[in-house]
Amino acid sequence: MRTALAIGLLSALAAFGAAADTYPQRPITMVVPFAAGGPTDVVARIVAEPMSRALGQQVVIENVTGAGGTTGITRASQAAPDGYTVMMGHMGTHGAAPALFKGLKYDPAKSFDPIGLAAGTPIVIVAKKSLPAENLKSFIEALKSGGASINQAHAGVGSVSHSTGILFDSLVGAKPTLVVYRGTGPALNDLVAGQVDFMTDQIVNVAPQINGGTIKAYAIATPERSPSLPDVPTTKEAGLPEYEVSAWNAVFAPKGLPADVRAKLVAALDTALKDPSARKRILELGGTVPKEAEAGPDALQKLVESEVARWTPVLRSAAEATP
């Protein structure tokens, strides 16, 4: 009896090892918790192509929208931890979400096996072209004195523009009127049209309009200027050094991946980020490619933990202050 049980167990372990060795045997789904065409979707598609070549199987993008990205992340977190479902999360879904959504069905730091950082997308403070303030300092002065008469657009609760906007407001002590949109597209359209006054958003969304002169940029929230916006000062240069934030994107998998499977996904993402074409596309959009110290599962785990710690007090404080 015991001999038979032992043989059965060894056979099962051998089969598991063989499955891990031959992974992947079918296409892999990468859940993107936002609409097609948005910055997270764009980054996902950029890395999915070289990851597919590295893995020898297609990485298929599935857009699952809703609740600031938490709908798609929740669904993906509940998938089998076999390497055939991964997700592209970001600062909102894995940093800001715990403070914004009561009853969140996942823990950003505990419910996933991190694969690695995919790209950073710096935040830019932008305003309608007709706004009189010519620099960040004068804009902040106008914002604080104007109060609720100044409108701030964002793409919905949990969006990057929402979270980074609240952080900006809290740092400068401003209380503008928040105007909620269903996505960055319509928010940016109204900013270009002058229907709202300002917003904070990812460089990949606003760089074309800034370079085209349809909106103005006050500062970019990075340590160094962006090659995509060389004339836009950093927040440090503009007088607000404490406002430094990037809407990073990263690949996660459901908790419990076999070690060999996880290693293959980590290696595939690393290969993708070294691909000249993928790197070029990310940089052309104004994004940043992770440095060696920022890459890999361990660095991503630390990033998630630090982001949750950073955003929770800011967003909860803002919620408590809202009438």
Coordinates of all heavy atoms in Angstrom, one line a residue, residues 6-99:
A6 N 3.8 5.7 -2.6 CA 5.0 6.4 -2.9 C 5.3 6.5 -4.4 O 5.7 7.5 -4.9 CB 6.2 5.6 -2.2
I7 N 5.0 5.4 -5.1 CA 5.2 5.3 -6.6 C 4.3 6.4 -7.2 O 4.7 7.1 -8.1 CB 4.9 3.9 -7.1 CG1 6.0 3.0 -6.6 CG2 4.9 4.0 -8.7 CD1 5.8 1.5 -7.0
G8 N 3.0 6.4 -6.7 CA 2.1 7.4 -7.3 C 2.5 8.8 -7.1 O 2.4 9.7 -8.0
L9 N 3.1 9.1 -5.9 CA 3.5 10.4 -5.6 C 4.7 10.8 -6.4 O 4.8 11.9 -7.0 CB 3.9 10.5 -4.1 CG 4.4 11.9 -3.6 CD1 3.4 13.0 -3.8 CD2 4.8 11.8 -2.1
L10 N 5.6 9.9 -6.6 CA 6.8 10.1 -7.4 C 6.4 10.4 -8.9 O 7.0 11.2 -9.6 CB 7.8 9.0 -7.3 CG 8.5 8.8 -6.0 CD1 9.3 7.5 -6.0 CD2 9.5 10.0 -5.8
S11 N 5.4 9.6 -9.3 CA 5.0 9.8 -10.7 C 4.3 11.2 -10.9 O 4.5 11.8 -11.9 CB 3.9 8.7 -11.1 OG 4.5 7.4 -11.0
A12 N 3.6 11.6 -9.9 CA 2.9 12.9 -10.0 C 4.0 14.0 -10.0 O 3.9 15.0 -10.7 CB 2.0 13.1 -8.8
L13 N 5.0 13.9 -9.1 CA 6.0 14.9 -9.1 C 6.8 14.9 -10.4 O 7.2 16.0 -10.9 CB 7.0 14.6 -7.9 CG 6.4 14.9 -6.5 CD1 7.4 14.3 -5.4 CD2 6.1 16.3 -6.3
A14 N 7.1 13.8 -11.0 CA 7.8 13.7 -12.2 C 7.0 14.4 -13.3 O 7.5 15.1 -14.2 CB 8.0 12.2 -12.6
A15 N 5.6 14.1 -13.3 CA 4.8 14.8 -14.3 C 4.8 16.3 -14.2 O 4.8 17.0 -15.1 CB 3.3 14.2 -14.2
F16 N 4.7 16.7 -12.9 CA 4.7 18.2 -12.6 C 6.0 18.8 -13.1 O 6.1 19.8 -13.8 CB 4.6 18.4 -11.1 CG 4.7 19.9 -10.8 CD1 3.6 20.7 -10.9 CD2 5.9 20.4 -10.3 CE1 3.7 22.1 -10.6 CE2 6.0 21.7 -10.0 CZ 4.9 22.6 -10.1
G17 N 7.2 18.1 -12.9 CA 8.4 18.6 -13.3 C 8.5 18.7 -14.8 O 9.0 19.6 -15.4
A18 N 8.0 17.6 -15.5 CA 8.0 17.6 -16.9 C 7.1 18.7 -17.5 O 7.5 19.4 -18.5 CB 7.4 16.3 -17.4
A19 N 6.0 19.0 -16.8 CA 5.1 20.1 -17.3 C 5.8 21.4 -17.2 O 5.8 22.3 -18.0 CB 3.8 20.1 -16.5
A20 N 6.6 21.6 -16.0 CA 7.3 22.9 -15.8 C 8.4 23.0 -16.9 O 8.7 24.1 -17.4 CB 7.9 22.9 -14.4
D21 N 9.1 21.9 -17.2 CA 10.2 21.9 -18.1 C 9.7 22.3 -19.5 O 10.4 22.9 -20.3 CB 10.9 20.6 -18.2 CG 11.7 20.3 -16.9 OD1 12.0 21.3 -16.2 OD2 12.0 19.1 -16.7
T22 N 8.5 21.9 -19.9 CA 8.0 22.2 -21.2 C 7.1 23.4 -21.3 O 6.6 23.7 -22.3 CB 7.2 20.9 -21.7 OG1 6.1 20.7 -20.8 CG2 8.1 19.7 -21.8
Y23 N 6.9 24.1 -20.2 CA 6.1 25.3 -20.2 C 6.8 26.4 -21.1 O 8.0 26.5 -21.0 CB 6.0 25.9 -18.8 CG 5.5 27.3 -18.7 CD1 4.1 27.5 -18.7 CD2 6.3 28.4 -18.7 CE1 3.6 28.8 -18.6 CE2 5.8 29.7 -18.6 CZ 4.5 29.9 -18.6 OH 4.0 31.2 -18.5
P24 N 6.0 27.1 -21.9 CA 4.5 27.0 -22.0 C 4.2 26.1 -23.2 O 4.9 26.1 -24.2 CB 4.1 28.5 -22.3 CG 5.3 29.0 -23.0 CD 6.5 28.3 -22.5
Q25 N 3.0 25.5 -23.1 CA 2.5 24.6 -24.2 C 1.4 25.2 -24.9 O 0.9 24.6 -25.9 CB 2.1 23.2 -23.6 CG 3.3 22.5 -22.9 CD 2.9 21.2 -22.3 OE1 1.8 21.0 -21.9 NE2 3.9 20.2 -22.3
R26 N 0.9 26.4 -24.5 CA -0.2 27.0 -25.2 C -0.1 28.5 -24.9 O 0.8 29.0 -24.1 CB -1.6 26.5 -24.6 CG -1.8 26.8 -23.2 CD -3.2 26.3 -22.8 NE -3.6 26.7 -21.4 CZ -3.3 26.1 -20.3 NH1 -2.7 24.9 -20.4 NH2 -3.8 26.6 -19.2
P27 N -0.9 29.3 -25.6 CA -0.8 30.8 -25.4 C -1.0 31.2 -24.0 O -1.7 30.6 -23.2 CB -1.9 31.3 -26.4 CG -2.0 30.3 -27.4 CD -1.8 29.0 -26.7
I28 N -0.4 32.4 -23.7 CA -0.5 33.0 -22.3 C -1.4 34.2 -22.4 O -1.2 35.0 -23.3 CB 0.9 33.3 -21.8 CG1 1.7 32.0 -21.7 CG2 0.8 34.0 -20.5 CD1 3.2 32.3 -21.7
T29 N -2.3 34.4 -21.5 CA -3.1 35.5 -21.4 C -2.5 36.6 -20.5 O -2.2 36.3 -19.4 CB -4.6 35.2 -20.9 OG1 -5.2 34.3 -21.9 CG2 -5.4 36.5 -20.8
M30 N -2.4 37.8 -21.0 CA -2.0 38.9 -20.2 C -3.2 39.9 -20.0 O -3.6 40.5 -21.0 CB -0.8 39.7 -20.8 CG -0.3 40.9 -20.0 SD 1.1 41.8 -20.7 CE 2.4 40.7 -20.3
V31 N -3.7 39.9 -18.8 CA -4.9 40.7 -18.5 C -4.4 42.2 -18.3 O -3.5 42.5 -17.5 CB -5.6 40.3 -17.3 CG1 -6.7 41.2 -16.9 CG2 -6.2 38.9 -17.5
V32 N -5.0 43.1 -19.1 CA -4.7 44.5 -19.0 C -6.0 45.1 -18.4 O -7.1 45.0 -19.1 CB -4.4 45.2 -20.3 CG1 -4.3 46.7 -20.2 CG2 -3.1 44.6 -20.9
P33 N -6.0 45.7 -17.2 CA -7.2 46.1 -16.5 C -7.7 47.4 -17.0 O -8.5 48.1 -16.2 CB -6.8 46.1 -15.1 CG -5.4 46.5 -15.1 CD -4.8 45.8 -16.3
F34 N -7.4 47.9 -18.2 CA -7.8 49.1 -18.7 C -8.2 49.0 -20.2 O -7.8 47.9 -20.8 CB -6.8 50.2 -18.5 CG -6.4 50.5 -17.1 CD1 -5.2 49.9 -16.6 CD2 -7.2 51.2 -16.3 CE1 -4.9 50.0 -15.2 CE2 -6.9 51.4 -14.9 CZ -5.7 50.8 -14.4
A35 N -8.8 50.0 -20.8 CA -9.2 49.9 -22.2 C -8.0 49.9 -23.1 O -6.9 50.4 -22.8 CB -10.1 51.1 -22.5
A36 N -8.3 49.3 -24.3 CA -7.3 49.3 -25.3 C -6.9 50.7 -25.8 O -7.8 51.6 -25.8 CB -7.8 48.5 -26.5
G37 N -5.6 50.9 -26.0 CA -5.2 52.3 -26.4 C -4.7 53.1 -25.3 O -4.0 54.1 -25.6
G38 N -5.0 52.8 -24.1 CA -4.5 53.6 -22.9 C -3.0 53.2 -22.7 O -2.4 52.3 -23.3
P39 N -2.3 54.0 -21.8 CA -0.9 53.8 -21.6 C -0.5 52.4 -21.1 O 0.5 51.8 -21.5 CB -0.5 54.9 -20.6 CG -1.8 55.3 -20.0 CD -2.9 55.1 -21.0
T40 N -1.3 51.8 -20.2 CA -1.0 50.5 -19.7 C -1.1 49.5 -20.8 O -0.3 48.5 -20.9 CB -1.9 50.1 -18.5 OG1 -1.7 51.1 -17.4 CG2 -1.6 48.7 -18.0
D41 N -2.2 49.6 -21.6 CA -2.4 48.7 -22.8 C -1.2 48.8 -23.7 O -0.7 47.8 -24.3 CB -3.7 49.1 -23.4 CG -4.0 48.2 -24.6 OD1 -4.3 47.0 -24.5 OD2 -3.8 48.7 -25.8
V42 N -0.8 50.1 -24.0 CA 0.3 50.3 -24.9 C 1.6 49.6 -24.4 O 2.3 48.9 -25.2 CB 0.6 51.8 -25.1 CG1 1.9 52.0 -25.9 CG2 -0.6 52.4 -25.9
V43 N 1.9 49.8 -23.2 CA 3.1 49.1 -22.6 C 3.0 47.6 -22.7 O 4.0 46.9 -23.0 CB 3.4 49.6 -21.1 CG1 4.5 48.8 -20.5 CG2 3.7 51.1 -21.1
A44 N 1.8 47.1 -22.3 CA 1.6 45.6 -22.4 C 1.9 45.1 -23.8 O 2.5 44.1 -23.9 CB 0.2 45.3 -21.9
R45 N 1.4 45.8 -24.8 CA 1.5 45.3 -26.2 C 3.0 45.4 -26.6 O 3.5 44.6 -27.4 CB 0.6 46.0 -27.1 CG -0.9 45.7 -26.8 CD -1.9 46.4 -27.7 NE -3.2 46.2 -27.2 CZ -4.0 45.2 -27.4 NH1 -3.5 44.3 -28.3 NH2 -5.2 45.1 -26.9
I46 N 3.7 46.4 -26.1 CA 5.1 46.6 -26.5 C 5.9 45.4 -26.0 O 6.7 44.8 -26.7 CB 5.7 47.9 -26.0 CG1 5.1 49.1 -26.8 CG2 7.2 47.9 -26.1 CD1 5.5 50.4 -26.2
V47 N 5.7 45.0 -24.7 CA 6.5 43.9 -24.1 C 6.0 42.5 -24.5 O 6.7 41.6 -24.5 CB 6.6 44.0 -22.6 CG1 7.3 45.4 -22.2 CG2 5.3 43.9 -21.9
A48 N 4.7 42.4 -24.8 CA 4.1 41.1 -25.1 C 4.7 40.5 -26.4 O 4.9 39.3 -26.5 CB 2.6 41.2 -25.3
E49 N 5.1 41.3 -27.4 CA 5.6 40.8 -28.6 C 7.0 40.1 -28.4 O 7.1 39.0 -28.8 CB 5.7 42.0 -29.6 CG 6.2 41.5 -31.0 CD 6.2 42.7 -32.0 OE1 5.5 43.7 -31.8 OE2 6.9 42.6 -33.0
P50 N 7.9 40.8 -27.8 CA 9.2 40.1 -27.6 C 9.1 39.0 -26.5 O 9.9 38.0 -26.6 CB 10.2 41.2 -27.2 CG 9.3 42.3 -26.7 CD 8.1 42.2 -27.5
M51 N 8.2 39.1 -25.6 CA 8.0 38.0 -24.6 C 7.5 36.8 -25.3 O 7.9 35.7 -25.0 CB 7.0 38.4 -23.5 CG 7.6 39.3 -22.5 SD 6.4 39.7 -21.1 CE 6.4 38.1 -20.3
S52 N 6.6 37.0 -26.3 CA 6.1 35.8 -27.1 C 7.2 35.1 -27.8 O 7.2 33.8 -27.8 CB 5.1 36.3 -28.1 OG 3.9 36.9 -27.5
R53 N 8.1 35.8 -28.4 CA 9.2 35.2 -29.1 C 10.1 34.4 -28.1 O 10.6 33.3 -28.4 CB 10.0 36.3 -29.8 CG 9.3 36.9 -31.0 CD 10.3 37.7 -31.9 NE 10.9 38.8 -31.2 CZ 10.5 40.0 -31.2 NH1 9.3 40.3 -31.8 NH2 11.1 41.0 -30.6
A54 N 10.3 35.0 -26.9 CA 11.2 34.4 -25.9 C 10.6 33.1 -25.4 O 11.3 32.1 -25.1 CB 11.5 35.4 -24.8
L55 N 9.3 33.1 -25.2 CA 8.6 32.0 -24.6 C 8.2 30.9 -25.7 O 7.9 29.8 -25.3 CB 7.3 32.4 -23.9 CG 7.6 33.2 -22.6 CD1 6.3 34.0 -22.2 CD2 8.1 32.3 -21.5
G56 N 8.2 31.3 -26.9 CA 7.8 30.4 -28.0 C 6.3 30.1 -28.0 O 5.8 29.2 -28.7
Q57 N 5.5 31.0 -27.3 CA 4.1 30.9 -27.4 C 3.5 32.4 -27.4 O 4.2 33.3 -26.8 CB 3.5 30.2 -26.2 CG 3.7 28.7 -26.2 CD 2.7 28.0 -27.2 OE1 1.8 28.6 -27.8 NE2 3.0 26.7 -27.4
Q58 N 2.4 32.6 -28.0 CA 1.8 33.9 -28.0 C 1.4 34.4 -26.7 O 0.7 33.7 -25.9 CB 0.6 34.0 -29.0 CG 0.1 35.3 -29.4 CD 1.1 36.1 -30.3 OE1 1.9 35.5 -31.0 NE2 1.1 37.4 -30.2
V59 N 1.7 35.7 -26.3 CA 1.2 36.4 -25.2 C 0.0 37.2 -25.7 O 0.2 38.2 -26.4 CB 2.2 37.2 -24.5 CG1 1.6 38.0 -23.3 CG2 3.4 36.4 -24.0
V60 N -1.2 36.8 -25.3 CA -2.4 37.4 -25.8 C -3.0 38.5 -24.8 O -3.1 38.1 -23.6 CB -3.5 36.4 -26.1 CG1 -4.8 37.0 -26.7 CG2 -3.0 35.3 -27.1
I61 N -3.2 39.7 -25.3 CA -3.7 40.7 -24.4 C -5.2 40.6 -24.3 O -6.0 40.5 -25.3 CB -3.4 42.1 -25.0 CG1 -1.9 42.3 -25.2 CG2 -4.0 43.2 -24.1 CD1 -1.1 42.2 -23.9
E62 N -5.7 40.6 -23.0 CA -7.2 40.7 -22.8 C -7.5 41.9 -21.9 O -7.0 42.0 -20.8 CB -7.6 39.4 -22.0 CG -9.1 39.4 -21.7 CD -9.6 38.2 -20.9 OE1 -8.7 37.4 -20.5 OE2 -10.8 38.1 -20.6
N63 N -8.2 42.8 -22.5 CA -8.6 44.0 -21.7 C -9.9 43.8 -20.9 O -10.9 43.4 -21.4 CB -8.9 45.2 -22.7 CG -7.6 45.5 -23.5 OD1 -7.5 45.1 -24.6 ND2 -6.8 46.4 -23.0
V64 N -9.7 44.0 -19.6 CA -10.8 43.8 -18.6 C -10.9 45.1 -17.8 O -10.1 45.3 -16.9 CB -10.6 42.6 -17.7 CG1 -11.8 42.4 -16.8 CG2 -10.4 41.3 -18.5
T65 N -11.9 45.9 -18.1 CA -12.0 47.2 -17.5 C -12.9 47.3 -16.3 O -13.7 46.4 -16.1 CB -12.4 48.3 -18.5 OG1 -13.8 47.9 -19.0 CG2 -11.5 48.3 -19.8
G66 N -12.8 48.4 -15.5 CA -13.7 48.6 -14.5 C -13.0 48.9 -13.1 O -12.0 48.4 -12.8
A67 N -13.7 49.8 -12.3 CA -13.3 50.1 -10.9 C -11.8 50.4 -10.8 O -11.0 49.9 -10.0 CB -13.6 48.9 -10.0
G68 N -11.3 51.3 -11.7 CA -10.0 51.8 -11.6 C -8.9 50.7 -11.8 O -7.8 50.8 -11.3
G69 N -9.3 49.7 -12.6 CA -8.4 48.6 -12.9 C -8.5 47.4 -12.0 O -7.9 46.4 -12.3
T70 N -9.2 47.6 -10.9 CA -9.2 46.5 -9.9 C -10.1 45.3 -10.3 O -9.9 44.2 -9.8 CB -9.7 47.0 -8.5 OG1 -11.1 47.5 -8.6 CG2 -8.8 48.1 -8.0
T71 N -11.0 45.6 -11.2 CA -11.9 44.5 -11.7 C -11.0 43.4 -12.5 O -11.1 42.2 -12.2 CB -13.0 45.0 -12.7 OG1 -13.8 45.8 -12.0 CG2 -13.8 43.8 -13.2
G72 N -10.2 43.9 -13.4 CA -9.3 43.0 -14.1 C -8.3 42.3 -13.3 O -8.0 41.2 -13.4
I73 N -7.7 43.1 -12.4 CA -6.7 42.5 -11.5 C -7.3 41.5 -10.5 O -6.6 40.4 -10.3 CB -6.0 43.6 -10.7 CG1 -5.2 44.6 -11.6 CG2 -5.0 43.0 -9.6 CD1 -4.1 44.0 -12.4
T74 N -8.5 41.7 -10.0 CA -9.1 40.8 -9.2 C -9.4 39.5 -9.9 O -9.1 38.4 -9.4 CB -10.5 41.3 -8.7 OG1 -10.2 42.5 -7.9 CG2 -11.2 40.3 -7.8
R75 N -9.9 39.6 -11.1 CA -10.1 38.4 -11.9 C -8.8 37.6 -12.2 O -8.8 36.4 -12.1 CB -10.8 38.7 -13.3 CG -11.1 37.5 -14.1 CD -11.6 37.9 -15.5 NE -12.9 38.7 -15.4 CZ -13.6 39.1 -16.5 NH1 -13.1 38.8 -17.7 NH2 -14.7 39.8 -16.4
A76 N -7.8 38.3 -12.6 CA -6.5 37.6 -12.9 C -5.9 37.0 -11.7 O -5.3 35.9 -11.7 CB -5.6 38.6 -13.5
S77 N -6.1 37.6 -10.5 CA -5.5 37.1 -9.3 C -6.1 35.8 -8.9 O -5.5 35.0 -8.2 CB -5.6 38.1 -8.1 OG -7.0 38.2 -7.7
Q78 N -7.3 35.5 -9.3 CA -8.1 34.3 -9.0 C -7.9 33.2 -10.0 O -8.4 32.1 -9.8 CB -9.6 34.7 -8.9 CG -9.9 35.6 -7.7 CD -11.3 36.2 -7.7 OE1 -12.0 36.0 -8.7 NE2 -11.7 36.8 -6.6
A79 N -7.1 33.5 -11.0 CA -6.8 32.4 -12.0 C -5.8 31.4 -11.5 O -5.2 31.6 -10.5 CB -6.2 33.1 -13.3
A80 N -5.8 30.2 -12.1 CA -4.9 29.2 -11.7 C -3.4 29.7 -11.8 O -3.0 30.3 -12.8 CB -5.0 27.9 -12.6
P81 N -2.6 29.4 -10.8 CA -1.2 29.8 -10.8 C -0.3 28.9 -11.6 O 0.6 28.3 -11.1 CB -0.8 29.8 -9.3 CG -1.6 28.7 -8.7 CD -3.0 28.8 -9.5
D82 N -0.6 28.8 -12.9 CA 0.1 27.9 -13.8 C 0.9 28.5 -14.8 O 1.5 27.9 -15.7 CB -0.9 26.9 -14.4 CG -2.0 27.6 -15.2 OD1 -1.9 28.9 -15.4 OD2 -3.0 27.0 -15.6
G83 N 1.0 29.9 -14.8 CA 1.8 30.6 -15.8 C 1.0 31.0 -17.0 O 1.6 31.6 -17.9
Y84 N -0.2 30.6 -17.1 CA -1.0 30.9 -18.4 C -1.9 32.1 -18.2 O -2.5 32.5 -19.2 CB -1.8 29.7 -18.8 CG -0.9 28.5 -19.3 CD1 -0.6 27.5 -18.5 CD2 -0.3 28.6 -20.6 CE1 0.3 26.5 -18.9 CE2 0.5 27.6 -21.0 CZ 0.8 26.5 -20.2 OH 1.7 25.6 -20.6
T85 N -1.8 32.7 -17.1 CA -2.5 34.0 -16.9 C -1.5 34.9 -16.1 O -1.1 34.6 -15.0 CB -3.8 33.9 -16.1 OG1 -4.7 33.0 -16.8 CG2 -4.5 35.3 -15.9
V86 N -1.2 36.1 -16.7 CA -0.4 37.1 -16.0 C -1.2 38.4 -16.2 O -2.2 38.4 -16.8 CB 1.0 37.2 -16.6 CG1 1.8 35.9 -16.4 CG2 0.9 37.6 -18.1
M87 N -0.7 39.4 -15.5 CA -1.5 40.7 -15.6 C -0.5 41.9 -15.7 O 0.6 41.8 -15.1 CB -2.4 40.9 -14.5 CG -1.8 41.0 -13.1 SD -2.7 40.3 -11.8 CE -2.3 38.6 -11.9
M88 N -0.9 43.0 -16.3 CA -0.1 44.2 -16.3 C -0.7 45.2 -15.3 O -1.8 45.8 -15.6 CB 0.0 44.8 -17.7 CG 0.8 46.0 -17.8 SD 2.6 45.7 -17.5 CE 3.1 45.0 -19.1
G89 N -0.2 45.3 -14.1 CA -0.7 46.2 -13.1 C 0.1 47.5 -13.2 O 1.0 47.7 -13.9
H90 N -0.3 48.4 -12.3 CA 0.4 49.7 -12.3 C 0.3 50.4 -10.9 O -0.3 49.8 -10.0 CB 0.0 50.6 -13.5 CG -1.3 51.3 -13.3 ND1 -2.2 51.1 -12.3 CD2 -1.9 52.3 -14.1 CE1 -3.3 52.0 -12.5 NE2 -3.1 52.7 -13.5
M91 N 0.7 51.6 -10.8 CA 0.8 52.3 -9.6 C -0.6 52.4 -8.9 O -0.7 52.3 -7.7 CB 1.3 53.7 -9.8 CG 1.3 54.6 -8.6 SD -0.2 55.5 -8.4 CE -0.1 56.7 -9.7
G92 N -1.7 52.5 -9.7 CA -3.0 52.6 -9.2 C -3.5 51.2 -8.6 O -4.0 51.1 -7.5
T93 N -3.4 50.2 -9.4 CA -3.9 48.9 -9.0 C -3.1 48.2 -7.9 O -3.6 47.4 -7.1 CB -4.0 47.9 -10.2 OG1 -2.6 47.7 -10.7 CG2 -4.8 48.4 -11.3
H94 N -1.8 48.5 -7.8 CA -0.9 47.9 -6.8 C -0.3 48.9 -5.9 O 0.7 48.5 -5.2 CB 0.1 47.1 -7.5 CG -0.4 45.8 -8.1 ND1 -1.2 45.8 -9.3 CD2 -0.2 44.5 -7.7 CE1 -1.5 44.5 -9.5 NE2 -0.9 43.7 -8.6
G95 N -0.8 50.1 -5.8 CA -0.3 51.1 -4.9 C -1.4 51.9 -4.2 O -1.5 51.9 -3.0
A96 N -2.3 52.5 -5.0 CA -3.3 53.3 -4.5 C -4.6 52.6 -4.2 O -5.4 53.0 -3.3 CB -3.6 54.4 -5.5
A97 N -4.9 51.5 -4.8 CA -6.1 50.8 -4.7 C -6.6 50.5 -3.2 O -7.8 50.7 -2.9 CB -6.1 49.5 -5.5
P98 N -5.7 50.0 -2.3 CA -6.2 49.7 -1.0 C -6.8 50.8 -0.3 O -7.7 50.7 0.6 CB -4.9 49.2 -0.3 CG -4.0 48.7 -1.4 CD -4.3 49.6 -2.5
A99 N -6.3 52.1 -0.5 CA -6.9 53.2 0.1 C -8.2 53.7 -0.5 O -8.9 54.5 0.1 CB -5.9 54.3 0.2

